[in-house]
Amino acid sequence: MRSEQMRYLEAAIRLGSLRKAAVEVGIGQPTLSQQIRRLEEDLNVNLLIRRANGVFPSAEARILLPHMRQVLQADRALREEAGLINGLRSGSVRLGAVTTASQILLPRVVPLYRNSFPHVRFSVWESGSSSVRDRVTSGELDLGLVVGRGDPASDASLTATDLIADDIVLCVPRRHPLATKPTVSIQDLEGESWVVPARGYALRELVDSTFMPTAQNIVYETTNPHTSLLMVAARVGIAMLPRHALHDHCAGEVATPTTDWDPPQLTVRMIGRRDTQPAPAVRKLIQALREVSSEWSRNYRRERSKLPPNRRRDCRLP
């Protein structure tokens, strides 16, 4: 049994196709199929269910795959550690990220990392927090950036490090009656039309838990904070949005009135597997994420301290 055979199997299962897996690993499909069959013979179990519409993991493969991914991670770490002796000349990083992290951190982190380590294969997969967490847990991703409220992830199999936190503010159309109200209460929101994140996103959980979804008139659901802001500007409804979303669009059309509740926060966290030592390429990415996060947080605190209390604010805020 060789690590290459496990790598071929992992690619086939992840992609659902022998052809796509062969392209990814750089060998012919017949060779890949042959090597997977040899792995099945060596382990004396069937690992793939082969059908006309692709391949699927068998029940035995679902049990063994996490162990194989650990072996592949260890093999990759060994090769990268050896390469690190003469500089980081190879390696790969698979990062999962939520939209908030993609918009705030990754425009700075990705160019910095790729310019510093051009020989490392770098890829980002964007999705919701739960999906990113699942793929980090399974070993499909080396590292994840997720969003949550309250305490870090309690999953004992994962490590969690807080990177940045962003205030969640009430956004209303500029000419909305609430825009000029000295202080807005939760009771003032009753009967309003809402623009909300899709279910499964941390911000949606916050809106649902704080503002009682049964009293909401939800007219628009989206996975993108900028879409929410555009809908608020178009007077479709009101929304609760992270402050960073107020940077780019419709500065003259959206207001963030003062509320009688303290702004809740969403925290971007970096997660990884507790039982896996990060490879050198991953460690360098962790370092870059921490550096950029620290700089962003310092700037955020400085600009936030300039905001006058109890005063209406709009989306031209830093």
Side-chain angles (χ1 to χ4, degrees), residues 5 33 52-53 61 84 121 124 133 136 154 160 248 256:
Q5 294 171 335
S33 298
N53 60 339
L84 194 60
R121 190 172 71 178
V124 180
R133 186 177 289 108
V136 171
S154 58
D248 299 329
T256 59

Side-chain angles (χ1 to χ4, degrees), residues 29-314:
Q29 181 175 333
T31 301
L32 181 135
S33 298
Q34 182 185 53
Q35 290 300 318
I36 292 176
R37 290 192 183 280
R38 287 182 178 177
L39 179 62
E40 290 175 317
E41 293 170 0
D42 190 14
L43 295 175
N44 196 30
V45 292
N46 292 323
L47 297 171
L48 283 184
I49 299 172
R50 297 164 173 84
R51 294 177 179 166
N53 60 339
V55 294
F56 305 88
S58 65
E60 294 83 357
R62 293 183 188 278
I63 295 172
L64 296 175
L65 193 59
H67 302 288
M68 292 185 183
R69 284 178 172 145
Q70 289 187 43
V71 172
L72 293 173
Q73 174 68 21
D75 180 72
R76 184 157 60 95
L78 174 63
R79 295 178 185 277
E80 291 181 13
E81 289 286 2
L84 194 60
I85 297 173
N86 296 315
L88 195 56
R89 299 290 183 183
S90 63
S92 64
V93 177
R94 301 161 299 178
L95 174 67
V98 295
T99 302
T100 297
S102 295
Q103 293 173 342
I104 296 179
L105 295 177
L106 297 191
R108 305 180 191 185
V109 170
V110 174
L112 173 65
Y113 187 87
R114 295 192 68 198
N115 289 337
S116 300
F117 308 106
H119 301 292
V120 173
R121 190 172 71 178
F122 186 93
S123 62
V124 180
W125 179 73
E126 186 176 298
S127 188
S129 292
S130 59
S131 297
V132 171
R133 186 177 289 108
D134 289 345
R135 290 202 177 192
V136 171
T137 301
S138 70
E140 294 177 68
L141 296 172
D142 300 305
L143 206 63
L145 300 177
V146 300
V147 168
R149 302 169 56 203
D151 296 330
S154 58
D155 190 334
S157 68
L158 299 176
T159 61
T161 304
D162 289 358
L163 294 179
I164 60 175
D166 197 9
D167 287 342
I168 304 302
V169 295
L170 175 65
C171 296
V172 303
R174 174 67 68 185
R175 295 183 179 86
H176 193 284
L178 294 178
T180 55
K181 192 174 177 63
T183 304
V184 176
S185 68
I186 290 181
Q187 289 71 29
D188 292 327
L189 305 181
E190 292 182 3
E192 292 291 339
S193 298
W194 281 81
V195 179
V196 299
R199 293 194 180 277
Y201 284 74
L203 184 55
R204 175 61 179 270
E205 295 175 8
L206 184 150
V207 173
D208 285 351
S209 63
T210 305
F211 303 108
M212 299 182 301
T214 55
Q216 295 179 21
N217 176 23
I218 297 174
V219 297
Y220 201 105
E221 295 185 68
T222 176
T223 60
N224 192 313
H226 289 306
T227 299
S228 296
L229 192 65
L230 288 171
M231 292 301 108
V232 174
R235 306 181 190 177
V236 172
I238 66 174
M240 296 293 295
L241 293 171
R243 193 180 296 280
H244 82 270
L246 309 178
H247 290 193
D248 299 329
H249 300 294
C250 48
E253 300 299 328
V254 175
T256 59
T258 301
T259 61
D260 67 356
W261 64 85
D262 292 331
Q265 289 191 326
L266 288 184
T267 301
V268 175
R269 297 189 176 101
M270 176 173 59
I271 60 172
R273 285 177 61 104
R274 191 179 297 276
D275 62 357
T276 301
Q277 177 67 27
V282 178
R283 294 203 302 268
K284 293 295 185 181
L285 177 60
I286 292 173
Q287 180 181 346
L289 284 165
R290 286 175 171 164
E291 290 175 355
V292 171
S293 298
S294 295
E295 179 184 1
W296 187 92
S297 296
R298 286 194 300 270
N299 292 337
Y300 186 88
R301 289 192 296 268
R302 181 172 61 250
E303 297 297 338
R304 193 172 184 271
S305 68
K306 299 177 183 178
L307 297 175
N310 301 319
R311 186 169 147 190
R312 180 170 56 82
R313 302 185 291 273
D314 62 31

